[in-house]
Amino acid sequence: MRANSRNLLRTASRCSQSHFRRGLRRPALGATRSSSSLTSSTSGTERKWSTSLAKMLGEATTTTGPISVAAYMRQCLTAPEGGYYTRQTTLGQDQFGTKGDFVTSPEISQVFGELIGIWLYAEWLAQGKKDKVQIIEVGPGRGTLMDDVLRTLSNFKSFARSVEAVYLVEASPHLQKQQAKLLAATEDLQKNEIGWTAPLKYMSGVNIQWCEDIRFVPKEETSTPFILAHEFFDALPIHVFQNIPQSSIPASSTIITPTGPIKPKHGATVPKNTWHELVVSPASPYTSAGVTTSTIKESDDDKPDFELTVSKTPTPHSLYLPKMSDRYKKLEDIPNAIIEISPESLAYASDFAVRIGGGTFSQASPTNKADSTAFAKNQPSGAALILDYGPSDTIPANTFRGIRSHRTVSPFTAPGLVDLSADVDFLALADAALDASPGVEIHGPVEQSFFLSTMGIKERAERLLKGAKDEDTRKRLETGWKRLVHRGPNGMGNTYKAMAIVPYLRGSKLRRPVGFGGDIAA
Ligand code: SAH
């Protein structure tokens, strides 16, 4: 409920000091590694880099000075040359699934996407069967989730008839192609001003459109956008700040100034903490940061190319990001507290909210400068479903990680070949959405186990199990759905959360969406 979520936001000021968690990721088989050209020379010494992206970043930071974690993360994940998602991978050996780097819920079981399809259908029913529906997914990976969602939705004929277009927001041209193989009715994609387009394999007459940024997706007052974000926000860049105590002036001190000695007016100056940004710079070639932290001898390949240091001077971001929210301000008295802030995530959450509830877009769209002004909706409509990992009500800290071979590794090893992510700050997303639009309310975050169980995962899996053609399929189905809801260390039930942004209709009766405590509307 809107009012409740506001209260929750106000009281949530604790800082989660969660540490690196075991990942679900596996190493890329098709990845290319070091070559003899990955050296550069600084002050007469040869320096070896683990990847060409590391070399490029290392040389750039030698000239410009350290960069923010956000800039580092952005380059490592989506640099046009050698970015983790944007690099070319061998067919069948991409980042996803058992042969790839990591496994996500839609890749584990088809039931996941089917239930999300049903969630969208239930929302559409509850909102009075609106037409001009846009189905939007950000960060669709292989396209598996969208495939399961659309297959499910195309069984509901009246819903399918209301769908105007499907939009996939994807930074990687290679993944766009993979998604097209799965979802397009033809291999012949057409280029238009915002990206590629093709007829959809499901729902005749409906087109699928790719673009690299949500701001390219058209906004119309009468459209009803249904937006999905699964394991997308954890890949968006974060800035990291630490609250460093400043040296204080002793109580009785006199300050010597050019015009003579003065006594501080208000007595002793209280020791003050200041937010300093943690920044990324090349690791010293003489020490091996990766080895000093562990008694296990790591190979040269595992040595981090970069390291985190505290920026001594303010950065453009340290001056305003930690001041943005009372949640961060409440940590100002806690020395050495760490906070992670993802401005890009907040921009995405605001964008979702304005599409659903109307409001003001904070950034001009690349295609339409007028978007920086107010966007009025005839009536709030649509929904956004965000599924990801992160704490329910605390600010993530120390969660920036690299993932490889099902293991958490330093995010500074093999840039471009290691997946990078950070916990999602769900309350910050909720805050951003509520601030951006008066026409939305937030439900959740709830644990994935609660969301999927109340959506009927057990019943759906049992029905599929009855029809399973062999023992192998049975086993896969059984272990798959249980892993999605299991709340233990090997399950995804409590680490992953679901949060929904839905229309807020002034004066209407409270309605909880299904999966968040509500029932399917008749
Ligand atoms: N939703 C999928 C994939 C998750 S991985 C699944 O659960 O299986 C993250 C996805 O987001 C990838 O498709 C990646 O290419 C995409 N991505 C990462 N950063 C992005 C950005 N800044 N803009 C658009 N897409 C991005």
Side-chain angles (χ1 to χ4, degrees):
M1 186 191 167
R2 191 182 174 84
N4 283 352
S5 7
R6 287 270 189 211
N7 286 342
L8 188 61
L9 293 176
R10 249 180 246 124
T11 53
S13 60
R14 277 171 294 135
C15 175
S16 97
Q17 297 291 333
S18 54
H19 288 273
F20 293 166
R21 258 205 322 270
R22 220 176 62 79
L24 298 158
R25 328 268 173 163
R26 285 161 182 264
L29 302 178
T32 51
R33 283 203 62 96
S34 34
S35 78
S36 54
S37 65
L38 298 179
T39 54
S40 55
S41 174
T42 4
S43 37
T45 49
E46 278 266 295
R47 155 123 224 189
K48 229 180 135 198
W49 301 100
S50 63
T51 62
S52 33
L53 185 64
K55 182 170 184 264
M56 190 275 281
L57 286 171
E59 286 169 356
T61 51
T62 309
T63 321
T64 62
I67 53 171
S68 64
V69 172
Y72 174 80
M73 209 173 160
R74 158 66 87 198
Q75 288 294 323
C76 290
L77 291 180
T78 55
E81 293 298 321
Y84 179 76
Y85 286 114
T86 32
R87 74 192 147 89
Q88 174 94 56
T89 51
T90 322
L91 192 69
Q93 294 187 341
D94 61 15
Q95 299 86 342
F96 305 93
T98 44
K99 283 193 192 154
D101 279 325
F102 56 87
V103 183
T104 58
S105 298
E107 304 293 338
I108 289 173
S109 175
Q110 69 181 82
V111 183
F112 185 79
E114 289 171 354
L115 292 180
I116 289 180
I118 290 171
W119 189 86
L120 293 178
Y121 179 60
E123 261 310 297
W124 180 76
L125 285 180
Q127 293 181 29
K129 306 183 180 180
K130 294 269 187 307
D131 59 2
K132 296 190 73 180
V133 166
Q134 300 173 315
I135 299 178
I136 305 168
E137 186 180 1
V138 291
R142 278 179 167 175
T144 312
L145 173 63
M146 187 52 87
D147 192 44
D148 293 333
V149 164
L150 292 175
R151 189 183 61 251
T152 307
L153 286 175
S154 51
N155 291 324
F156 303 111
K157 299 288 176 245
S158 53
F159 182 94
R161 274 195 301 274
S162 76
V163 176
E164 212 173 49
V166 173
Y167 294 91
L168 296 184
V169 177
E170 173 57 66
S172 162
H174 305 297
L175 287 172
Q176 287 191 0
K177 278 189 200 127
Q178 275 216 49
Q179 293 151 16
K181 277 208 182 93
L182 198 60
L183 299 166
T186 156
E187 286 185 10
D188 193 18
L189 308 190
Q190 301 297 313
K191 184 104 182 123
N192 59 17
E193 70 276 16
I194 61 169
W196 295 95
T197 182
L200 191 63
K201 148 177 120 176
Y202 301 102
M203 303 174 186
S204 74
V206 176
N207 272 0
I208 185 161
Q209 168 77 54
W210 283 267
C211 51
E212 284 182 18
D213 192 298
I214 186 125
R215 289 173 290 155
F216 287 111
V217 176
K219 294 171 269 289
E220 279 166 39
E221 289 134 39
T222 50
S223 292
T224 293
F226 284 112
I227 309 168
L228 298 174
H230 183 258
E231 289 217 36
F232 171 70
F233 282 98
D234 67 78
L236 292 186
I238 54 159
H239 287 269
V240 185
F241 303 98
Q242 188 167 12
N243 199 25
I244 311 265
Q246 304 296 294
S247 58
S248 60
I249 303 163
S252 61
S253 74
T254 301
I255 303 171
I256 307 299
T257 72
T259 52
I262 54 162
K263 282 240 179 234
K265 237 190 185 155
H266 305 290
T269 310
V270 210
K272 210 177 164 312
N273 304 312
T274 315
W275 291 109
H276 285 248
E277 182 153 14
L278 300 190
V279 287
V280 179
S281 47
S284 161
Y286 308 110
T287 60
S288 42
V291 178
T292 50
T293 54
S294 163
T295 50
I296 302 165
K297 175 88 183 78
E298 293 180 42
S299 74
D300 260 14
D301 281 359
D302 293 331
K303 276 189 200 157
D305 292 287
F306 297 93
E307 62 191 11
L308 261 191
T309 51
V310 178
S311 170
K312 293 196 180 61
T313 51
T315 63
H317 294 100
S318 69
L319 290 175
Y320 78 95
L321 283 179
K323 301 221 161 32
M324 265 180 33
S325 154
D326 283 346
R327 297 171 72 221
Y328 312 137
K329 283 194 196 133
K330 283 184 181 150
L331 294 173
E332 278 173 4
D333 293 335
I334 302 175
N336 298 314
I338 288 181
I339 51 174
E340 295 169 354
I341 307 178
S342 171
E344 215 173 307
S345 299
L346 306 181
Y348 262 91
S350 310
D351 181 295
F352 293 176
V354 175
R355 281 172 196 278
I356 295 163
T360 305
F361 283 98
S362 52
Q363 286 158 308
S365 131
T367 48
N368 183 2
K369 299 276 182 292
D371 280 344
S372 53
T373 58
F375 171 69
K377 288 265 291 200
N378 293 356
Q379 189 193 30
S381 68
L385 183 62
I386 298 167
L387 296 125
D388 223 308
Y389 46 85
S392 305
D393 58 1
T394 55
I395 304 164
N398 294 328
T399 74
F400 180 43
R401 54 190 171 274
I403 294 161
R404 220 173 175 203
S405 257
H406 280 261
R407 281 192 313 130
T408 306
V409 296
S410 159
F412 302 114
T413 51
L417 298 177
V418 164
D419 178 38
L420 299 182
S421 71
D423 276 10
V424 172
D425 186 348
F426 281 97
L427 271 199
L429 298 186
D431 242 344
L434 293 173
D435 284 348
S437 173
V440 296
E441 60 184 33
I442 309 288
H443 293 266
V446 296
E447 290 183 354
Q448 175 160 298
S449 69
F450 178 87
F451 176 74
L452 293 177
S453 303
T454 55
M455 287 293 305
I457 192 167
K458 186 162 182 276
E459 294 74 12
R460 173 69 188 139
E462 276 167 358
R463 218 168 325 136
L464 284 174
L465 280 167
K466 276 200 192 115
K469 56 182 187 320
D470 52 45
E471 192 50 29
D472 256 14
T473 317
R474 254 192 76 80
K475 263 211 185 106
R476 211 163 17 83
L477 270 169
E478 180 102 39
T479 50
W481 85 263
K482 286 189 174 156
R483 188 171 167 197
L484 297 182
V485 291
H486 197 261
R487 302 183 77 259
N490 296 323
M492 299 160 95
N494 55 339
T495 329
Y496 285 72
K497 314 277 168 13
M499 192 174 90
I501 306 175
V502 296
Y504 168 67
L505 301 168
R506 196 176 290 275
S508 67
K509 219 171 109 228
L510 170 69
R511 172 186 70 82
R512 282 199 181 281
V514 58
F516 294 87
D519 290 325
I520 292 192

